[in-house]
Amino acid sequence: MAEPLVPQVSHALEVLDFFGIAVFAISGALLAAEKRQTLVTFIFFAVVTGVGGGTLRDLLIGAPVFWVHTNATLLICIGAALGVWLLSTRRIAASALDWFDAAGLASYATYGAAKALAYGVVPVPAFAMGVLTACFGGIVRDVLAGEPSILMRPELYVTAAALAAGLFVGLNLLGVPIWAAAAAGAVAGFGLRGLAIQRGWKLPAYRK
Amino acid sequence: MAEPLVPQVSHALEVLDFFGIAVFAISGALLAAEKRQTLVTFIFFAVVTGVGGGTLRDLLIGAPVFWVHTNATLLICIGAALGVWLLSTRRIAASALDWFDAAGLASYATYGAAKALAYGVVPVPAFAMGVLTACFGGIVRDVLAGEPSILMRPELYVTAAALAAGLFVGLNLLGVPIWAAAAAGAVAGFGLRGLAIQRGWKLPAYRK
Amino acid sequence: MAEPLVPQVSHALEVLDFFGIAVFAISGALLAAEKRQTLVTFIFFAVVTGVGGGTLRDLLIGAPVFWVHTNATLLICIGAALGVWLLSTRRIAASALDWFDAAGLASYATYGAAKALAYGVVPVPAFAMGVLTACFGGIVRDVLAGEPSILMRPELYVTAAALAAGLFVGLNLLGVPIWAAAAAGAVAGFGLRGLAIQRGWKLPAYRK
């Protein structure tokens, strides 16, 4: 009875969450591989990248942190790190890191915004939760690795997360069914990020 | 009924909060301008600098995070970023960044300590909440931008926040009315930081 | 009545917590001394390193943050910073920083896992809480100081925390009394870290 009521996010959307965890964990481990790190660092980077954004989202919206009451989430991240460690990364195409990251970005941005709305968060912060969920893990990964943060590069990265989260929240406000809004948001975000990767699209920098 | 009771901070003090958000958001956007970043980075830096310290404070004292249940706060930060992007920064005096930051620092240190006391936090941690509220957003901004953190410079920066928060908490313990204690804290903190900017005052470094 | 029930961790284990706070605070202040910083930076580093890991743990497991409702914890950190500032660091053996850190690491890893279990966290995340409690303060200290993070070095550091937390959680699952499991975890973690310091043991890096 003392338990807080935990709003339920549609199960269809939870698939986006698991997908985001796995692909972000792989992207974290791939950065560790690129930097010739140890297995412990592989695991740490996989965990931080996999659960970092969702952790911040849950703290901010007052939800129980999603990976604290289940063994599965961390085991997925550890499994992803072991997988990248054991497989030769040469078998993974050079651009794999970017594409995994793009898929995680679009999934997580949509799911993050959906979870925030399910917790009664109003639209503008719910949109911000989507962007944060998608970008925060990668930002922490880059800061820990001493890489220039994705934030400081002109690529359409945060922008793609903003498109996914914004489209989802906007369609939701217009009364579009949640699964259709989620599909539209995730596809649009992935599409924009994919085009940015392939064609090198960039935002204009400040020049005054 | 299931709602937690949310202590109310005096409305007069909330003005300090809005002021802190706006000037810190501007200081974040000005750093993005200095670094020739894109509009998305302007917004990200404005948000992180504007709400970062208060977010950490609210998480630590167990308060609902202040910007999650209103659209206004993030819109203020986004507006500040757009304003800095659209105006030529040349029109903003070179030292404007420092002075905006000083005003935000003093306001936020006082308001942060006041909110902590309102939530029943004991004096030493309440003082620390004031310092954190004032400094944390700027520290994250600097880490993300790859700048040397304000923490590592000998200027009277954290010290000015500590003066504002400490004076407020101390006067409060002595029974001084809250508005008088807040005014004294904010003015003293702004004055010390201002003198440090103008005269280049520095703390002595460790030399043994 | 509205108060959440706060599970109690055995008092014997709380000694590990105080010990962890003090030695990590000293390690933070010693880094500030090495970097020729001001007294304010000494205090900031002592506080961040001393309470950083436990703060993240408490936020993640939904516990009230341990230093917010007592004046003692911050005063210990401030005292540690003043002590290091006043004493000539020459009197502290050159390797003291490493050994203090090793003792804090083993204590905090064990205590962090124990507190998580006391809050009903399941084994894998409880193990992760031990590792985080032990490593997070030092990681933040290094990021703020612009040092290469301990995470990116091949030394047995995170590994020693993982041994302490893992052994404690494992023995606990096997039904070993809590004080025996805690002693075994802390001694094993300190032993492994000590051997790594003395003999320069390293983990193999990824080389495919």
Side-chain angles (χ1 to χ4, degrees):
Chain A
M1 302 300 139
E3 289 289 306
L5 286 177
V6 179
Q8 293 302 317
V9 181
S10 144
H11 283 296
L13 288 192
E14 288 200 344
V15 175
L16 290 182
D17 193 30
F18 279 114
F19 187 69
I21 292 164
V23 297
F24 270 139
I26 291 171
S27 97
L30 285 172
L31 181 62
E34 204 180 89
K35 298 230 144 195
R36 300 281 174 272
Q37 291 294 311
T38 69
L39 181 57
V40 168
T41 312
F42 272 61
I43 293 172
F44 211 103
F45 273 42
V47 170
V48 165
T49 317
V51 308
T55 301
L56 182 60
R57 174 202 61 216
D58 287 349
L59 291 175
L60 293 174
I61 67 178
V65 176
F66 70 105
W67 52 272
V68 168
H69 296 290
T70 169
N71 292 315
T73 314
L74 290 182
L75 292 177
I76 290 173
C77 294
I78 293 171
L82 281 171
V84 173
W85 175 269
L86 292 175
L87 293 175
S88 170
T89 49
R90 271 188 228 142
R91 293 203 204 146
I92 303 175
S95 63
L97 178 57
D98 278 342
W99 287 98
F100 272 115
D101 206 69
L105 187 78
S107 309
Y108 246 25
T110 309
Y111 177 77
K115 184 164 182 182
L117 289 178
Y119 269 78
V121 173
V122 290
V124 176
F127 158 75
M129 290 303 156
V131 177
L132 267 186
T133 306
C135 300
F136 185 72
I139 290 171
V140 174
R141 176 195 64 202
D142 290 346
V143 167
L144 289 180
E147 292 275 290
S149 165
I150 190 80
L151 270 184
M152 304 296 287
R153 285 177 264 161
E155 299 168 58
L156 295 170
Y157 187 87
V158 180
T159 310
L163 176 63
L167 193 59
F168 173 77
V169 172
L171 291 176
N172 205 276
L173 284 177
L174 296 174
V176 172
I178 197 165
W179 59 267
V187 167
F190 183 75
L192 180 59
R193 179 68 191 134
L195 284 168
I197 292 172
Q198 279 201 311
R199 309 203 177 166
W201 283 359
K202 290 179 183 183
L203 288 178
Y206 185 76
R207 208 165 303 185
K208 280 173 202 164
Chain B
M1 305 299 140
E3 289 290 306
L5 286 177
V6 179
Q8 293 301 318
V9 181
S10 144
H11 283 299
L13 289 191
E14 289 199 344
V15 174
L16 290 181
D17 193 30
F18 279 114
F19 186 70
I21 292 164
V23 296
F24 270 139
I26 292 170
S27 98
L30 285 173
L31 180 63
E34 203 180 273
K35 298 230 143 194
R36 301 280 174 271
Q37 291 294 310
T38 68
L39 181 57
V40 168
T41 312
F42 272 61
I43 293 173
F44 211 102
F45 273 42
V47 170
V48 165
T49 317
V51 308
T55 301
L56 181 59
R57 174 201 62 216
D58 287 348
L59 291 176
L60 292 175
I61 67 179
V65 176
F66 69 104
W67 52 272
V68 169
H69 297 288
T70 170
N71 292 315
T73 314
L74 291 182
L75 292 177
I76 290 172
C77 294
I78 293 170
L82 281 171
V84 173
W85 175 269
L86 293 175
L87 292 175
S88 168
T89 49
R90 271 187 229 144
R91 292 203 204 148
I92 303 175
S95 63
L97 177 58
D98 278 341
W99 287 98
F100 272 115
D101 206 70
L105 187 78
S107 309
Y108 246 26
T110 308
Y111 177 76
K115 183 162 184 184
L117 288 179
Y119 268 78
V121 173
V122 289
V124 176
F127 157 76
M129 291 304 156
V131 177
L132 267 185
T133 307
C135 301
F136 186 72
I139 291 172
V140 174
R141 175 196 65 202
D142 290 346
V143 167
L144 290 179
E147 292 275 288
S149 166
I150 189 79
L151 268 184
M152 303 297 287
R153 285 177 263 160
E155 297 167 59
L156 295 170
Y157 187 87
V158 180
T159 311
L163 176 63
L167 193 59
F168 173 77
V169 171
L171 291 175
N172 205 277
L173 284 177
L174 295 174
V176 171
I178 197 163
W179 60 267
V187 167
F190 183 74
L192 180 59
R193 179 69 191 136
L195 283 168
I197 293 171
Q198 280 200 310
R199 309 205 178 166
W201 283 0
K202 291 180 182 181
L203 286 178
Y206 185 76
R207 208 165 305 183
K208 281 172 202 166
Chain C
M1 304 301 138
E3 290 289 305
L5 286 177
V6 178
Q8 292 303 317
V9 181
S10 146
H11 283 297
L13 289 192
E14 288 199 345
V15 175
L16 290 181
D17 193 30
F18 279 114
F19 186 69
I21 292 164
V23 297
F24 270 138
I26 292 172
S27 97
L30 285 172
L31 180 63
E34 201 180 274
K35 298 229 144 194
R36 300 281 173 270
Q37 291 293 312
T38 69
L39 182 57
V40 168
T41 313
F42 273 61
I43 293 172
F44 211 102
F45 273 43
V47 170
V48 165
T49 317
V51 308
T55 302
L56 181 60
R57 174 201 62 216
D58 287 349
L59 291 174
L60 293 175
I61 67 178
V65 176
F66 69 105
W67 53 271
V68 168
H69 296 289
T70 170
N71 292 316
T73 314
L74 291 181
L75 292 177
I76 290 173
C77 294
I78 294 171
L82 281 171
V84 173
W85 175 268
L86 293 175
L87 293 174
S88 168
T89 50
R90 272 188 227 141
R91 292 205 204 145
I92 302 175
S95 62
L97 178 57
D98 279 342
W99 287 99
F100 272 114
D101 206 70
L105 186 78
S107 309
Y108 247 26
T110 308
Y111 177 76
K115 184 164 183 183
L117 288 179
Y119 268 79
V121 173
V122 290
V124 176
F127 158 76
M129 290 305 156
V131 177
L132 267 186
T133 307
C135 300
F136 186 71
I139 291 171
V140 174
R141 176 196 65 202
D142 291 345
V143 167
L144 290 179
E147 292 276 290
S149 166
I150 189 79
L151 269 185
M152 304 297 286
R153 285 177 264 160
E155 297 168 58
L156 295 170
Y157 187 88
V158 180
T159 310
L163 176 62
L167 193 59
F168 173 77
V169 171
L171 292 175
N172 205 277
L173 283 178
L174 295 175
V176 173
I178 197 165
W179 60 267
V187 167
F190 182 75
L192 180 60
R193 179 69 191 134
L195 284 168
I197 293 172
Q198 280 201 310
R199 311 204 176 166
W201 284 359
K202 290 178 183 183
L203 287 178
Y206 186 76
R207 208 166 303 184
K208 281 172 201 166

